[in-house]
Amino acid sequence: DRATAVDIYPLGGNIAVAGVSDVGGGGNNFALASYETDGSLNDDFSVDGRTTTDIASGNDQAFSLIILANGKLVAAGTTDSTGSNSFALVAYAINGALDSNFGVDGITLTDFTAGDDQVRGLALQVNAKIVAAGFAADDIALARYDGEAADIVVTGADEGTRPIVHVYDARE
């Protein structure tokens, strides 16, 4: 198990940590833990202050975490559920359960390339849209998602089905 991201709840100052948990033979899963300000696990989060999410049977890894103003958490990283690594965002309710109002059952995947796509950072815009930054193969990749709705926010020909995506080739 390893932690890769941390954020502080806006109300109360509790600490949330995201990362990776090796569940023994089944690959890695997204892992989250919530701590009280005194360092003890927050028993109001999941059953024991910790939760894991198995997106796919292979490797799922969270590298970034944000806490929304309403206390919901969004962890982001990568999963190999589509045959290649994809951007993966997983939203959790304040109690640690998957937030079914986000993506499909709390999970949103974006596959840019047939290669390795990973989220390495998240930011929250003032309009509650989530911006994910990372890489798609050897290029910089950005995607913006609606933080509350089940649908991904887009513009262009595929409106309603894909995120606003910009892939930059740093070599150009």
Side-chain angles (χ1 to χ4, degrees), residues 70-88:
N70 60 9
K72 293 180 180 182
L73 299 94
V74 178
T78 189
T79 181
D80 61 5
S81 68
T82 60
S84 65
N85 285 355
S86 301
F87 269 33

